[in-house]
Amino acid sequence: MAVITTKGLIGRVTDVTPFTARVALLTDLSRSGHVSAVVQGEESRVFGVIDAYDFDTGYLLFQKIPAEAPIREGQVVVTSGLGGVFPRGLVIGTVVAVEPGDNGLTQRAYVKPAADFAYLDEVFVVERKDAVSPEANAATGHKEVRREGGRAL
């Protein structure tokens, strides 16, 4: 489940007890994996992954962006809904710089987080709902999840 503030995404729930929850912050992506992301509002959707945090600059690294993708400073980056962890459309931050990736086939963007990680007084847990097809359960005994555009059917 995603964890957000009123300004943006801060991480995901990794462990739950009856009275508490442990959250892996975006500043510690080594523990929580990566976040599938997309540039918001673009006609040609620009996908990539947020997979690191630079403690020196305070920026998230948005990587694996195709080299020909149109990405520029000031664009807003949101969760893509791919990967099954984060729902689509949660604000991550704003692009502050773009440079070629290490291999020349991709680009890397630096994203200023929308949320302030130094001040996390109140947070919200966003549950991603998955609908299970009753027909699939009856026929196969397995759970089948159907999605359309990040929304469970």
Side-chain angles (χ1 to χ4, degrees), residues 15 19-20 49-50 57 64 67 70 73 81 87 93 100 103 111 125 147 149:
D15 190 30
F19 300 105
T20 64
V49 295
I50 303 285
T57 63
K64 300 181 182 172
E73 292 178 23
N103 57 17
V111 176
V125 176
R147 295 185 195 281

Side-chain angles (χ1 to χ4, degrees), residues 23-36:
V23 176
L25 297 176
L26 292 180
T27 57
D28 187 14
L29 285 166
S30 62
R31 279 191 56 220
S32 62
H34 64 272
V35 179
S36 179

